[in-house]
Amino acid sequence: MLEAPDLTKRERRELTKAARFQKRVETWEARRATPHPPKVHRAVITILMMLACLWVLKLLLFG
């Protein structure tokens, strides 16, 4: 449809914008349909931060 010779610049720009938006929506839907496995390093960092918080709490209470 973008190749039609009777389109104005504004119509061509709006069609291009709509096509880019549609492609973005399709990409987003594809990513949502195939979730990625959780990353291991995030779990490790979370556990280390929890241990650090417990250590600080211990220092505050008993130090």
Side-chain angles (χ1 to χ4, degrees):
M1 191 160 175
L2 281 172
E3 303 303 322
D6 59 343
L7 290 177
T8 64
K9 283 186 177 184
R10 183 178 185 169
E11 291 171 333
R12 190 170 281 124
R13 186 172 53 240
E14 288 175 1
L15 282 174
T16 304
K17 184 178 177 182
R20 280 197 313 261
F21 179 75
Q22 182 62 34
K23 185 171 174 71
R24 225 178 304 147
V25 168
E26 290 170 0
T27 302
W28 181 81
E29 287 174 345
R31 287 181 183 162
R32 297 285 292 174
T34 56
H36 298 287
K39 300 204 174 2
V40 176
H41 73 277
R42 289 186 182 174
V44 171
I45 290 172
T46 302
I47 292 171
L48 290 175
M49 290 300 290
M50 287 170 29
L51 289 173
C53 287
L54 289 173
W55 180 70
V56 169
L57 180 64
K58 180 186 164 215
L59 284 178
L60 288 172
L61 293 176
F62 302 112

